[in-house]
PDB file of all heavy atoms in Angstrom:
ATOM      1  N   ALA O  18     -14.727   4.003   9.669  1.00  0.00           N
ATOM      2  CA  ALA O  18     -15.360   3.495   8.446  1.00  0.00           C
ATOM      3  C   ALA O  18     -15.064   4.366   7.229  1.00  0.00           C
ATOM      4  O   ALA O  18     -14.879   3.848   6.120  1.00  0.00           O
ATOM      5  CB  ALA O  18     -16.877   3.384   8.653  1.00  0.00           C
ATOM      6  N   TYR O  19     -15.001   5.678   7.421  1.00  0.00           N
ATOM      7  CA  TYR O  19     -14.907   6.582   6.275  1.00  0.00           C
ATOM      8  C   TYR O  19     -13.563   7.303   6.144  1.00  0.00           C
ATOM      9  O   TYR O  19     -13.332   7.983   5.144  1.00  0.00           O
ATOM     10  CB  TYR O  19     -16.041   7.612   6.341  1.00  0.00           C
ATOM     11  CG  TYR O  19     -17.393   6.959   6.250  1.00  0.00           C
ATOM     12  CD1 TYR O  19     -18.237   6.908   7.365  1.00  0.00           C
ATOM     13  CD2 TYR O  19     -17.822   6.347   5.080  1.00  0.00           C
ATOM     14  CE1 TYR O  19     -19.477   6.282   7.295  1.00  0.00           C
ATOM     15  CE2 TYR O  19     -19.065   5.730   4.996  1.00  0.00           C
ATOM     16  CZ  TYR O  19     -19.883   5.700   6.105  1.00  0.00           C
ATOM     17  OH  TYR O  19     -21.103   5.069   6.033  1.00  0.00           O
ATOM     18  N   LEU O  20     -12.672   7.132   7.130  1.00  0.00           N
ATOM     19  CA  LEU O  20     -11.351   7.749   7.031  1.00  0.00           C
ATOM     20  C   LEU O  20     -10.234   6.704   7.137  1.00  0.00           C
ATOM     21  O   LEU O  20      -9.504   6.469   6.178  1.00  0.00           O
ATOM     22  CB  LEU O  20     -11.171   8.812   8.124  1.00  0.00           C
ATOM     23  CG  LEU O  20     -11.770  10.186   7.874  1.00  0.00           C
ATOM     24  CD1 LEU O  20     -11.588  11.080   9.102  1.00  0.00           C
ATOM     25  CD2 LEU O  20     -11.124  10.843   6.664  1.00  0.00           C
ATOM     26  N   ARG O  21     -10.109   6.080   8.317  1.00  0.00           N
ATOM     27  CA  ARG O  21      -8.971   5.193   8.547  1.00  0.00           C
ATOM     28  C   ARG O  21      -8.960   3.991   7.603  1.00  0.00           C
ATOM     29  O   ARG O  21      -7.937   3.690   6.985  1.00  0.00           O
ATOM     30  CB  ARG O  21      -8.956   4.707   9.995  1.00  0.00           C
ATOM     31  CG  ARG O  21      -7.831   3.711  10.252  1.00  0.00           C
ATOM     32  CD  ARG O  21      -7.743   3.261  11.693  1.00  0.00           C
ATOM     33  NE  ARG O  21      -7.043   4.263  12.493  1.00  0.00           N
ATOM     34  CZ  ARG O  21      -7.561   4.880  13.540  1.00  0.00           C
ATOM     35  NH1 ARG O  21      -8.790   4.612  13.908  1.00  0.00           N
ATOM     36  NH2 ARG O  21      -6.864   5.764  14.227  1.00  0.00           N
ATOM     37  N   MET O  22     -10.070   3.308   7.464  1.00  0.00           N
ATOM     38  CA  MET O  22     -10.066   2.067   6.689  1.00  0.00           C
ATOM     39  C   MET O  22      -9.869   2.303   5.190  1.00  0.00           C
ATOM     40  O   MET O  22      -8.975   1.706   4.587  1.00  0.00           O
ATOM     41  CB  MET O  22     -11.326   1.256   6.986  1.00  0.00           C
ATOM     42  CG  MET O  22     -11.383   0.752   8.426  1.00  0.00           C
ATOM     43  SD  MET O  22     -12.933  -0.047   8.885  1.00  0.00           S
ATOM     44  CE  MET O  22     -12.714  -1.634   8.084  1.00  0.00           C
ATOM     45  N   PRO O  23     -10.651   3.178   4.546  1.00  0.00           N
ATOM     46  CA  PRO O  23     -10.395   3.411   3.116  1.00  0.00           C
ATOM     47  C   PRO O  23      -9.058   4.090   2.855  1.00  0.00           C
ATOM     48  O   PRO O  23      -8.367   3.777   1.875  1.00  0.00           O
ATOM     49  CB  PRO O  23     -11.572   4.290   2.673  1.00  0.00           C
ATOM     50  CG  PRO O  23     -12.108   4.891   3.922  1.00  0.00           C
ATOM     51  CD  PRO O  23     -11.858   3.895   5.006  1.00  0.00           C
ATOM     52  N   GLY O  24      -8.662   5.010   3.737  1.00  0.00           N
ATOM     53  CA  GLY O  24      -7.377   5.676   3.561  1.00  0.00           C
ATOM     54  C   GLY O  24      -6.215   4.732   3.751  1.00  0.00           C
ATOM     55  O   GLY O  24      -5.221   4.764   3.010  1.00  0.00           O
ATOM     56  N   GLY O  25      -6.319   3.860   4.758  1.00  0.00           N
ATOM     57  CA  GLY O  25      -5.278   2.860   4.976  1.00  0.00           C
ATOM     58  C   GLY O  25      -5.171   1.902   3.814  1.00  0.00           C
ATOM     59  O   GLY O  25      -4.069   1.482   3.431  1.00  0.00           O
ATOM     60  N   ALA O  26      -6.316   1.541   3.225  1.00  0.00           N
ATOM     61  CA  ALA O  26      -6.315   0.661   2.050  1.00  0.00           C
ATOM     62  C   ALA O  26      -5.623   1.348   0.867  1.00  0.00           C
ATOM     63  O   ALA O  26      -4.892   0.703   0.099  1.00  0.00           O
ATOM     64  CB  ALA O  26      -7.743   0.277   1.684  1.00  0.00           C
ATOM     65  N   LEU O  27      -5.840   2.655   0.733  1.00  0.00           N
ATOM     66  CA  LEU O  27      -5.167   3.409  -0.325  1.00  0.00           C
ATOM     67  C   LEU O  27      -3.658   3.366  -0.127  1.00  0.00           C
ATOM     68  O   LEU O  27      -2.904   3.057  -1.068  1.00  0.00           O
ATOM     69  CB  LEU O  27      -5.654   4.862  -0.325  1.00  0.00           C
ATOM     70  CG  LEU O  27      -4.848   5.847  -1.192  1.00  0.00           C
ATOM     71  CD1 LEU O  27      -4.962   5.459  -2.676  1.00  0.00           C
ATOM     72  CD2 LEU O  27      -5.314   7.282  -0.974  1.00  0.00           C
ATOM     73  N   GLY O  28      -3.204   3.679   1.077  1.00  0.00           N
ATOM     74  CA  GLY O  28      -1.767   3.665   1.355  1.00  0.00           C
ATOM     75  C   GLY O  28      -1.160   2.290   1.140  1.00  0.00           C
ATOM     76  O   GLY O  28      -0.075   2.151   0.562  1.00  0.00           O
ATOM     77  N   ALA O  29      -1.874   1.250   1.600  1.00  0.00           N
ATOM     78  CA  ALA O  29      -1.381  -0.117   1.431  1.00  0.00           C
ATOM     79  C   ALA O  29      -1.267  -0.480  -0.043  1.00  0.00           C
ATOM     80  O   ALA O  29      -0.296  -1.120  -0.474  1.00  0.00           O
ATOM     81  CB  ALA O  29      -2.313  -1.092   2.148  1.00  0.00           C
ATOM     82  N   SER O  30      -2.261  -0.069  -0.843  1.00  0.00           N
ATOM     83  CA  SER O  30      -2.224  -0.390  -2.272  1.00  0.00           C
ATOM     84  C   SER O  30      -1.052   0.309  -2.969  1.00  0.00           C
ATOM     85  O   SER O  30      -0.457  -0.250  -3.904  1.00  0.00           O
ATOM     86  CB  SER O  30      -3.540   0.014  -2.943  1.00  0.00           C
ATOM     87  OG  SER O  30      -3.692   1.429  -2.989  1.00  0.00           O
ATOM     88  N   LEU O  31      -0.700   1.511  -2.502  1.00  0.00           N
ATOM     89  CA  LEU O  31       0.449   2.216  -3.079  1.00  0.00           C
ATOM     90  C   LEU O  31       1.750   1.487  -2.754  1.00  0.00           C
ATOM     91  O   LEU O  31       2.647   1.378  -3.602  1.00  0.00           O
ATOM     92  CB  LEU O  31       0.505   3.651  -2.554  1.00  0.00           C
ATOM     93  CG  LEU O  31      -0.614   4.590  -3.017  1.00  0.00           C
ATOM     94  CD1 LEU O  31      -0.498   5.947  -2.337  1.00  0.00           C
ATOM     95  CD2 LEU O  31      -0.598   4.762  -4.534  1.00  0.00           C
ATOM     96  N   LEU O  32       1.855   0.972  -1.532  1.00  0.00           N
ATOM     97  CA  LEU O  32       3.055   0.213  -1.158  1.00  0.00           C
ATOM     98  C   LEU O  32       3.172  -1.069  -1.983  1.00  0.00           C
ATOM     99  O   LEU O  32       4.263  -1.434  -2.431  1.00  0.00           O
ATOM    100  CB  LEU O  32       3.015  -0.132   0.333  1.00  0.00           C
ATOM    101  CG  LEU O  32       3.340   1.012   1.298  1.00  0.00           C
ATOM    102  CD1 LEU O  32       2.989   0.617   2.733  1.00  0.00           C
ATOM    103  CD2 LEU O  32       4.808   1.405   1.204  1.00  0.00           C
ATOM    104  N   VAL O  33       2.049  -1.753  -2.190  1.00  0.00           N
ATOM    105  CA  VAL O  33       2.062  -2.959  -3.022  1.00  0.00           C
ATOM    106  C   VAL O  33       2.421  -2.604  -4.463  1.00  0.00           C
ATOM    107  O   VAL O  33       3.229  -3.283  -5.110  1.00  0.00           O
ATOM    108  CB  VAL O  33       0.699  -3.679  -2.956  1.00  0.00           C
ATOM    109  CG1 VAL O  33       0.652  -4.834  -3.948  1.00  0.00           C
ATOM    110  CG2 VAL O  33       0.434  -4.186  -1.543  1.00  0.00           C
ATOM    111  N   GLN O  34       1.836  -1.519  -4.956  1.00  0.00           N
ATOM    112  CA  GLN O  34       2.141  -1.047  -6.323  1.00  0.00           C
ATOM    113  C   GLN O  34       3.631  -0.776  -6.473  1.00  0.00           C
ATOM    114  O   GLN O  34       4.243  -1.168  -7.480  1.00  0.00           O
ATOM    115  CB  GLN O  34       1.353   0.229  -6.597  1.00  0.00           C
ATOM    116  CG  GLN O  34       1.834   1.035  -7.811  1.00  0.00           C
ATOM    117  CD  GLN O  34       1.274   2.436  -7.823  1.00  0.00           C
ATOM    118  OE1 GLN O  34       0.129   2.619  -8.210  1.00  0.00           O
ATOM    119  NE2 GLN O  34       2.061   3.424  -7.406  1.00  0.00           N
ATOM    120  N   ASP O  35       4.221  -0.149  -5.485  1.00  0.00           N
ATOM    121  CA  ASP O  35       5.647   0.201  -5.551  1.00  0.00           C
ATOM    122  C   ASP O  35       6.539  -1.036  -5.488  1.00  0.00           C
ATOM    123  O   ASP O  35       7.720  -0.972  -5.851  1.00  0.00           O
ATOM    124  CB  ASP O  35       6.016   1.154  -4.408  1.00  0.00           C
ATOM    125  CG  ASP O  35       5.308   2.490  -4.529  1.00  0.00           C
ATOM    126  OD1 ASP O  35       4.813   2.806  -5.623  1.00  0.00           O
ATOM    127  OD2 ASP O  35       5.248   3.215  -3.510  1.00  0.00           O
ATOM    128  N   GLY O  36       5.978  -2.152  -4.995  1.00  0.00           N
ATOM    129  CA  GLY O  36       6.774  -3.365  -4.882  1.00  0.00           C
ATOM    130  C   GLY O  36       6.779  -4.243  -6.112  1.00  0.00           C
ATOM    131  O   GLY O  36       7.522  -5.228  -6.186  1.00  0.00           O
ATOM    132  N   VAL O  37       5.954  -3.891  -7.095  1.00  0.00           N
ATOM    133  CA  VAL O  37       5.840  -4.731  -8.293  1.00  0.00           C
ATOM    134  C   VAL O  37       7.065  -4.570  -9.187  1.00  0.00           C
ATOM    135  O   VAL O  37       7.422  -3.452  -9.573  1.00  0.00           O
ATOM    136  CB  VAL O  37       4.559  -4.381  -9.083  1.00  0.00           C
ATOM    137  CG1 VAL O  37       4.515  -5.156 -10.398  1.00  0.00           C
ATOM    138  CG2 VAL O  37       3.327  -4.669  -8.248  1.00  0.00           C
ATOM    139  N   GLY O  38       7.727  -5.674  -9.475  1.00  0.00           N
ATOM    140  CA  GLY O  38       8.816  -5.690 -10.449  1.00  0.00           C
ATOM    141  C   GLY O  38      10.121  -5.093  -9.998  1.00  0.00           C
ATOM    142  O   GLY O  38      10.948  -4.720 -10.837  1.00  0.00           O
ATOM    143  N   VAL O  39      10.358  -5.014  -8.675  1.00  0.00           N
ATOM    144  CA  VAL O  39      11.631  -4.438  -8.216  1.00  0.00           C
ATOM    145  C   VAL O  39      12.389  -5.403  -7.303  1.00  0.00           C
ATOM    146  O   VAL O  39      13.164  -4.980  -6.444  1.00  0.00           O
ATOM    147  CB  VAL O  39      11.410  -3.078  -7.498  1.00  0.00           C
ATOM    148  CG1 VAL O  39      10.955  -2.023  -8.485  1.00  0.00           C
ATOM    149  CG2 VAL O  39      10.405  -3.215  -6.353  1.00  0.00           C
ATOM    150  N   GLY O  40      12.163  -6.691  -7.453  1.00  0.00           N
ATOM    151  CA  GLY O  40      12.953  -7.694  -6.739  1.00  0.00           C
ATOM    152  C   GLY O  40      12.636  -7.809  -5.264  1.00  0.00           C
ATOM    153  O   GLY O  40      11.506  -7.571  -4.820  1.00  0.00           O
ATOM    154  N   ALA O  41      13.660  -8.180  -4.484  1.00  0.00           N
ATOM    155  CA  ALA O  41      13.482  -8.458  -3.050  1.00  0.00           C
ATOM    156  C   ALA O  41      12.962  -7.240  -2.299  1.00  0.00           C
ATOM    157  O   ALA O  41      12.162  -7.366  -1.366  1.00  0.00           O
ATOM    158  CB  ALA O  41      14.801  -8.925  -2.447  1.00  0.00           C
ATOM    159  N   ARG O  42      13.425  -6.073  -2.678  1.00  0.00           N
ATOM    160  CA  ARG O  42      12.955  -4.849  -2.018  1.00  0.00           C
ATOM    161  C   ARG O  42      11.452  -4.667  -2.240  1.00  0.00           C
ATOM    162  O   ARG O  42      10.738  -4.176  -1.371  1.00  0.00           O
ATOM    163  CB  ARG O  42      13.725  -3.645  -2.556  1.00  0.00           C
ATOM    164  CG  ARG O  42      13.432  -2.343  -1.820  1.00  0.00           C
ATOM    165  CD  ARG O  42      14.306  -1.220  -2.353  1.00  0.00           C
ATOM    166  NE  ARG O  42      14.035   0.028  -1.660  1.00  0.00           N
ATOM    167  CZ  ARG O  42      14.560   0.368  -0.488  1.00  0.00           C
ATOM    168  NH1 ARG O  42      15.365  -0.462   0.130  1.00  0.00           N
ATOM    169  NH2 ARG O  42      14.273   1.528   0.073  1.00  0.00           N
ATOM    170  N   GLY O  43      11.007  -5.089  -3.401  1.00  0.00           N
ATOM    171  CA  GLY O  43       9.578  -4.996  -3.692  1.00  0.00           C
ATOM    172  C   GLY O  43       8.745  -5.921  -2.825  1.00  0.00           C
ATOM    173  O   GLY O  43       7.621  -5.592  -2.439  1.00  0.00           O
ATOM    174  N   VAL O  44       9.299  -7.095  -2.500  1.00  0.00           N
ATOM    175  CA  VAL O  44       8.589  -8.034  -1.634  1.00  0.00           C
ATOM    176  C   VAL O  44       8.360  -7.415  -0.261  1.00  0.00           C
ATOM    177  O   VAL O  44       7.266  -7.493   0.306  1.00  0.00           O
ATOM    178  CB  VAL O  44       9.386  -9.361  -1.495  1.00  0.00           C
ATOM    179  CG1 VAL O  44       8.719 -10.264  -0.459  1.00  0.00           C
ATOM    180  CG2 VAL O  44       9.471 -10.062  -2.840  1.00  0.00           C
ATOM    181  N   SER O  45       9.387  -6.775   0.294  1.00  0.00           N
ATOM    182  CA  SER O  45       9.236  -6.158   1.617  1.00  0.00           C
ATOM    183  C   SER O  45       8.251  -4.999   1.573  1.00  0.00           C
ATOM    184  O   SER O  45       7.515  -4.765   2.536  1.00  0.00           O
ATOM    185  CB  SER O  45      10.596  -5.687   2.149  1.00  0.00           C
ATOM    186  OG  SER O  45      11.149  -4.667   1.335  1.00  0.00           O
ATOM    187  N   SER O  46       8.188  -4.291   0.445  1.00  0.00           N
ATOM    188  CA  SER O  46       7.215  -3.212   0.297  1.00  0.00           C
ATOM    189  C   SER O  46       5.796  -3.774   0.284  1.00  0.00           C
ATOM    190  O   SER O  46       4.887  -3.230   0.918  1.00  0.00           O
ATOM    191  CB  SER O  46       7.480  -2.439  -0.997  1.00  0.00           C
ATOM    192  OG  SER O  46       6.537  -1.384  -1.158  1.00  0.00           O
ATOM    193  N   ALA O  47       5.618  -4.890  -0.420  1.00  0.00           N
ATOM    194  CA  ALA O  47       4.300  -5.525  -0.479  1.00  0.00           C
ATOM    195  C   ALA O  47       3.894  -6.081   0.882  1.00  0.00           C
ATOM    196  O   ALA O  47       2.729  -5.966   1.294  1.00  0.00           O
ATOM    197  CB  ALA O  47       4.298  -6.633  -1.527  1.00  0.00           C
TER     198      ALA O  47
END
């Protein structure tokens, strides 16, 4: 509840952020 889930959400949001505006490679990141 306090480590894996919020931390995983943080990492996932960074991957989605990195995928914005960079074409097909960005889609796979998202």
Side-chain angles (χ1 to χ4, degrees):
Y19 297 109
L20 279 176
R21 177 177 279 121
M22 294 173 77
L27 169 64
S30 69
L31 292 176
L32 284 168
V33 173
Q34 165 195 281
D35 295 343
V37 174
V39 291
R42 187 176 180 83
V44 173
S45 64
S46 180

